[in-house]
Amino acid sequence: MKSDRDRIAALIRTIPDFPKKGIMFRDVTTLILDHSGLTRTGEIMCEQARVLRPDKIIGIESRGFIFGTLVAKGLESGLVLARKKGKLPGKTIQHTYDLEYGQDTLEIHVDAIKPGERCLIVDDLLATGGTAEAAACLVEKMGGKVIGCSFVVNLPELGGHKKLAHYPLNWIVDFEGH
Amino acid sequence: MKSDRDRIAALIRTIPDFPKKGIMFRDVTTLILDHSGLTRTGEIMCEQARVLRPDKIIGIESRGFIFGTLVAKGLESGLVLARKKGKLPGKTIQHTYDLEYGQDTLEIHVDAIKPGERCLIVDDLLATGGTAEAAACLVEKMGGKVIGCSFVVNLPELGGHKKLAHYPLNWIVDFEGH
């Protein structure tokens, strides 16, 4: 019998050479297209993170908004958006970082996290860990506590799970290659 | 006693002059930061759309991903992402349209909607209706049936509810001005 993890892995499509040659893109759009895939992924992420008792879920733009919403709903937390530069309308703090495909800036509204709040970072995929680390940095600049990071997919060869090893980390499936 | 709609309206922040001078930006990040605001918004959107029996929820990038996720989970539908150009990794169909702040192109994966599927379009805000209309156009190009559009906020002065009046439309709160 297939495990939930096998079912979720089977629903994730691999697209070679996106966004550039040599990258095997792990596409979760086929996972969320399936209602039971969407729901079960959210349930597992909530089961994994419940013990961390987050006050706030930090959803990383933009697929992190989907899984962040599922976890925020399931764990009765508020949802904070970590967005690319210029997208948030209010006053923000920023952090610029290197990522797998270039460089980027992430922002969070300055009033989105209160000092001492327990924050869980959520995204679809853990690759080099640069984006999640930038989100963690923003949380900590605002006095929040990063209590963990949750992903659907981990790409172990890219080493993000090592870079973020000082935080509790959860994910559902590993894919080899990148 | 405050109604749910009043509570949701009160949680939406207005930011003047974003993204450009003269625009009153209705910011839902303060709504989703509040767990009960997030949850109750999702519940009302589901109550409004349940009768439409959607097979697929079309979430429009990127705040539509949040509310689309809540509706897809609540109504046991699959979630389809309608994204800006170049973001989706698989084969897509495109539609270019005019929107309140310029022009844009929306894409959907060609295999995300099957002919005859009942599709509900979800976004945070109905302004001129250009983006939702583009999403509807993509659904129809793929042989899907647009059974309605759901929003959190409607800006009646911008006329989107008139442009889309041939579809069943739902929203939770109206804001005057734009």
Side-chain angles (χ1 to χ4, degrees):
Chain A
M1 210 179 101
K2 268 192 165 180
S3 72
D4 278 334
R5 276 163 204 257
D6 291 342
R7 266 185 228 109
I8 288 168
L11 284 168
I12 296 169
R13 167 169 67 175
T14 297
I15 297 189
D17 301 325
F18 185 91
K20 62 180 189 186
K21 198 154 173 63
I23 303 288
M24 298 288 277
F25 189 86
R26 309 301 176 165
D27 177 20
V28 296
T29 68
T30 41
L31 170 64
I32 62 177
L33 200 58
D34 180 284
H35 174 70
S36 64
L38 174 77
T39 298
R40 192 65 195 119
T41 299
E43 286 169 354
I44 295 174
M45 293 180 89
C46 287
E47 286 162 17
Q48 290 174 331
R50 183 164 283 117
V51 66
L52 301 170
R53 295 175 293 107
D55 298 309
K56 294 277 170 68
I57 306 302
I58 317 300
I60 296 179
E61 182 164 356
S62 63
R63 290 179 296 269
F65 295 176
I66 299 162
F67 302 103
T69 299
L70 293 173
V71 178
K73 178 157 170 49
L75 298 186
E76 304 190 352
S77 313
L79 178 62
V80 175
L81 305 185
R83 299 207 64 172
K84 307 286 171 60
K85 193 173 175 173
K87 302 289 190 73
L88 288 171
K91 195 177 171 204
T92 64
I93 57 165
Q94 302 185 353
H95 187 77
T96 298
Y97 62 102
D98 297 321
L99 78 170
E100 192 182 357
Y101 314 131
Q103 199 184 48
D104 228 330
T105 296
L106 211 61
E107 297 188 331
I108 290 184
H109 274 142
V110 291
D111 50 3
I113 296 169
K114 296 189 188 75
E117 280 192 321
R118 300 172 62 82
C119 296
L120 176 74
I121 290 160
V122 173
D123 207 352
D124 64 329
L125 187 136
L126 175 56
T128 66
T131 310
E133 191 178 48
C137 178
L138 287 172
V139 168
E140 288 166 355
K141 275 184 189 170
M142 292 167 70
K145 184 173 166 56
V146 178
I147 48 130
C149 308
S150 291
F151 307 92
V152 182
V153 174
N154 178 39
L155 304 181
E157 289 176 34
L158 292 174
H161 64 291
K162 291 180 189 158
K163 182 187 278 186
L164 300 173
H166 49 299
Y167 299 120
L169 300 180
N170 291 302
W171 61 82
I172 302 177
V173 294
D174 283 295
F175 282 108
E176 299 304 315
H178 54 82
Chain B
M1 210 178 100
K2 268 191 165 182
S3 72
D4 278 335
R5 278 166 203 255
D6 290 342
R7 265 185 229 110
I8 288 168
L11 284 167
I12 297 169
R13 167 169 67 174
T14 297
I15 297 188
D17 301 324
F18 185 90
K20 65 180 187 186
K21 199 155 173 59
I23 303 290
M24 298 288 278
F25 190 86
R26 309 302 176 166
D27 176 20
V28 297
T29 68
T30 41
L31 170 66
I32 63 178
L33 200 58
D34 180 284
H35 173 70
S36 62
L38 174 77
T39 299
R40 193 65 195 120
T41 299
E43 286 169 353
I44 294 174
M45 293 179 90
C46 286
E47 286 161 19
Q48 290 175 331
R50 183 164 284 116
V51 65
L52 301 170
R53 296 177 291 106
D55 299 308
K56 294 277 171 66
I57 306 301
I58 317 302
I60 296 179
E61 183 166 355
S62 64
R63 289 180 297 269
F65 295 176
I66 298 161
F67 302 103
T69 299
L70 293 172
V71 177
K73 177 156 168 52
L75 298 186
E76 302 189 356
S77 314
L79 179 63
V80 175
L81 306 185
R83 299 207 65 171
K84 306 288 170 59
K85 192 173 175 173
K87 301 289 189 75
L88 288 171
K91 194 177 172 205
T92 63
I93 57 164
Q94 302 186 352
H95 187 76
T96 298
Y97 63 101
D98 297 321
L99 77 171
E100 193 183 357
Y101 316 132
Q103 198 185 49
D104 228 330
T105 296
L106 211 61
E107 296 188 332
I108 289 183
H109 275 142
V110 291
D111 50 3
I113 297 168
K114 295 190 188 74
E117 280 192 320
R118 301 172 62 81
C119 297
L120 176 74
I121 291 160
V122 173
D123 206 354
D124 65 328
L125 188 137
L126 175 56
T128 65
T131 310
E133 192 179 49
C137 178
L138 287 171
V139 168
E140 288 166 355
K141 274 185 190 171
M142 292 165 71
K145 184 173 165 56
V146 178
I147 48 132
C149 309
S150 291
F151 307 92
V152 183
V153 173
N154 178 39
L155 304 182
E157 289 177 33
L158 292 173
H161 64 291
K162 290 179 192 161
K163 183 186 276 185
L164 300 173
H166 49 298
Y167 299 121
L169 300 180
N170 291 301
W171 60 83
I172 303 178
V173 294
D174 283 295
F175 282 110
E176 298 305 315
H178 53 84

